Amino acid sequence: MSSYIDVAHPGRHAPYLDIPDDVIEYLHYLDFVKLRSPRTVNGYYLDLRGFFRYMMVQWGRADATAKPDTIDLTQISSRDIASIGKRDIFGYLDCARSASNGPKARARKLSALKGFFGYMCTQVNKITQDPTENVSLGAPKKTLPKYLTESESIELLNNIQSDFYERDFCIITLFLNCGMRLAELIGINLGDFRDETIRITGKGGKERLVYLNDACRQALDHYIKARGALSNLVDKDALFVSKRTGKRLTARRVEQIVARCLQSAGLSGRGFSPHKLRHTAATLMYQGGVDMLALKEILGHENVSTTQIYTHINQQQLRDAVQASPLARRQFVEPKSRGGEPDDAGNESTAEKAEKTGNEQSDATAHKEASS
C-alpha cells in the first residue's frame, strides 16, 4: 500500500492496509484521538512497517533476501506482538544502524516503537510487558544547520534558469525570506493571502501568519500574472502549479526545481536543499537582529529551544560580543621592571645577582665561624 499523502488534500493519507491490525488501530488512535497530523501518522506507519518486516525475517516467516514489498504483514497477530522482547528491539536498532541510518533516524524509529508498544500495553492492554521500556539511544549529537551566506543567496536568485522563471523565482524568494517548510510551501492556496500576510499551515495543522516583505510581494505579483496566463489550470486554488499539467506542484518537483537552481548558481554538491533554504532564512533574519521569540513565531516552532540553534551559528555576533568587553581595547602594558626574570640572553637579573651575593657572604661568615 502506498504511503502517499495527497498534496491537494494534505489532511488525507493512505488507508494503510498492508500492516497488522493492531498497527492499523494504533494509527487510527494517533489520527482521531491524539489528533496527530497526517504526516506524523504516515511517518509512524513507515517506521512500524519496517520494524515488522524485520521481525518477519527474525521469526523465519520471510526470507532475508525477499523484497520488502513482498513480505505480508497482515497475518501478524497480537500474540506475535506480545512475544517481542528487548533483544528484538536492540537487534532492530542495530540493523537500522548497519543500514546507514543516522542517530536522528534511529531515534525516530525508537520513538515510533515506544509509542506503539506503550499504546498496546497501557491503552488497550493487549500486552503485559513493554519491550521498549528503559530502552534509550542517548541524546543524538547536535549538528549546526547548513545555510547559504547572504552573498550565496543573492547568487542563487541571480542565476535562476527555468522554463517557468516567474514561478521558480517566487519559490526561491519565499524560501529565503519566509523560512517556510517544503510541505508548507506546496500547500499554499491563493486564498491564504490577505493584505501583507500569508497564512501558513504548519505541523499538526497549526496555522500562523507571516508578513511578506517587498521582495516577496514583487515576486508574487510577477508569478501570479504569469500563472493567470496558463490555459490548463486544474488546481485553481493552488498557488504553485505545474506549467505542463496545471496541477499543484508536488514536494518532489519543488526539490528538483531547487536543485536545478542551485546547480545553475554553482552551489550544488554541498548538501543544500529546500530545508536548508529555510535555515538560511532563519539565519539571515537572526543575523539581521530579529528577536528570538519573533523568529520562533515566523518559523512555527513549538518551543523557543528549537529556535535557539540559530544562536550558535551567528559568528559575527560572537565576534562582536568578544569585542564588546570593556577590556577589549586595553593596550599592551610594558613591564615596570624585569627584576625577577633573566633576560633573553640567559643573563642573571639584578635580583638574582643580589641574592647570589648575599648567599656568598653568608657562606663566608659560616666558614669563618667554623674555623675559629
Side-chain angles (χ1 to χ4, degrees):
M1 202 67 188
S2 172
S3 61
Y4 173 75
I5 291 181
D6 191 344
V7 176
H9 304 283
R12 303 176 189 173
H13 51 66
Y16 308 138
L17 300 178
D18 59 342
I19 48 179
D21 288 342
D22 286 321
V23 180
I24 294 175
E25 291 175 7
Y26 172 60
L27 296 181
H28 287 163
Y29 167 77
L30 290 178
D31 200 353
F32 301 117
V33 178
K34 302 297 287 184
L35 301 179
R36 297 290 186 254
S37 74
R39 293 184 181 278
T40 298
V41 175
N42 192 66
Y44 274 70
Y45 158 72
L46 293 173
D47 287 332
L48 291 172
R49 185 184 66 178
F51 170 73
F52 282 107
R53 285 174 175 172
Y54 166 83
M55 288 306 306
M56 287 291 285
V57 174
Q58 301 306 304
W59 287 327
R61 290 155 64 177
D63 193 288
T65 61
K67 292 182 178 180
D69 290 342
T70 65
I71 300 177
D72 182 13
L73 307 179
T74 59
Q75 301 305 311
I76 295 176
S77 66
S78 299
R79 179 176 295 183
D80 293 326
I81 295 174
S83 72
I84 295 172
K86 268 187 169 56
R87 287 187 178 182
D88 296 314
I89 303 299
F90 291 142
Y92 172 66
L93 294 174
D94 185 55
C95 179
R97 183 179 62 175
S98 300
S100 299
N101 285 275
K104 288 184 178 180
R106 296 199 303 275
R108 189 196 68 235
K109 292 178 186 299
L110 178 58
S111 177
L113 294 176
K114 281 181 173 290
F116 172 69
F117 283 106
Y119 160 84
M120 290 289 287
C121 187
T122 62
Q123 296 296 323
V124 294
N125 301 316
K126 289 189 175 183
I127 61 175
T128 57
Q129 295 264 342
D130 180 353
T132 66
E133 187 176 5
N134 298 324
V135 175
S136 174
L137 293 174
K141 183 179 179 181
K142 291 185 178 181
T143 57
L144 297 180
K146 293 183 179 179
Y147 63 95
L148 279 71
T149 63
E150 180 181 355
S151 60
E152 288 171 336
S153 301
I154 294 172
E155 191 71 12
L156 176 59
L157 288 167
N158 288 341
N159 287 277
I160 305 256
Q161 294 182 11
S162 167
D163 60 349
F164 200 169
Y165 178 86
E166 293 85 357
R167 180 198 65 192
D168 296 351
F169 183 90
C170 187
I171 287 174
I172 299 296
T173 298
L174 290 182
F175 272 138
L176 290 175
N177 285 273
C178 298
M180 60 185 65
R181 302 178 178 93
L182 173 58
E184 294 169 348
L185 180 127
I186 61 176
I188 297 174
N189 292 320
L190 294 176
D192 291 332
F193 296 93
R194 178 169 297 178
D195 298 327
E196 298 180 348
T197 65
I198 178 174
R199 182 180 61 196
I200 296 175
T201 304
K203 288 185 176 181
K206 295 180 180 178
E207 295 183 352
R208 67 184 188 276
L209 288 179
V210 174
Y211 281 85
L212 299 169
N213 59 26
D214 292 340
C216 291
R217 289 197 297 271
Q218 190 178 89
L220 282 163
D221 288 343
H222 281 85
Y223 166 59
I224 289 175
K225 186 181 297 183
R227 178 188 178 280
L230 296 177
S231 59
N232 60 341
L233 275 178
V234 176
D235 293 326
K236 298 185 182 300
D237 292 333
L239 174 61
F240 292 114
V241 297
S242 166
K243 184 177 182 180
R244 182 176 59 86
T245 67
K247 295 181 179 180
R248 186 186 297 266
L249 288 182
T250 64
R252 180 60 189 141
R253 182 69 187 110
V254 173
E255 289 174 339
Q256 292 171 342
I257 290 169
V258 171
R260 184 180 60 206
C261 292
L262 287 166
Q263 184 177 24
S264 63
L267 297 168
S268 60
R270 294 168 53 184
F272 294 132
S273 64
H275 201 68
K276 300 303 183 289
L277 299 189
R278 169 175 162 85
H279 288 320
T280 297
T283 303
L284 295 181
M285 279 188 274
Y286 183 73
Q287 290 177 345
V290 174
D291 176 77
M292 185 60 62
L293 292 177
L295 190 58
K296 168 186 173 291
E297 295 300 317
I298 293 171
L299 297 177
H301 286 161
E302 186 75 21
N303 300 302
V304 73
S305 59
T306 308
T307 318
Q308 285 175 338
I309 189 171
Y310 297 106
T311 65
H312 302 300
I313 55 181
N314 191 344
Q315 300 300 319
Q316 184 59 47
Q317 189 177 60
L318 296 179
R319 190 179 296 113
D320 293 344
V322 174
Q323 291 297 330
S325 168
L327 302 179
R329 287 168 293 281
R330 295 287 298 175
Q331 300 296 315
F332 176 75
V333 179
E334 295 288 347
K336 295 180 179 179
S337 170
R338 296 184 180 272
E341 301 178 1
D343 60 25
D344 290 340
N347 298 323
E348 293 178 334
S349 66
T350 304
E352 286 176 326
K353 289 179 180 179
E355 181 181 358
K356 186 175 181 180
T357 301
N359 290 338
E360 289 174 347
Q361 291 175 347
S362 297
D363 290 342
T365 304
H367 178 71
K368 184 177 179 180
E369 290 176 349
S371 299
S372 62

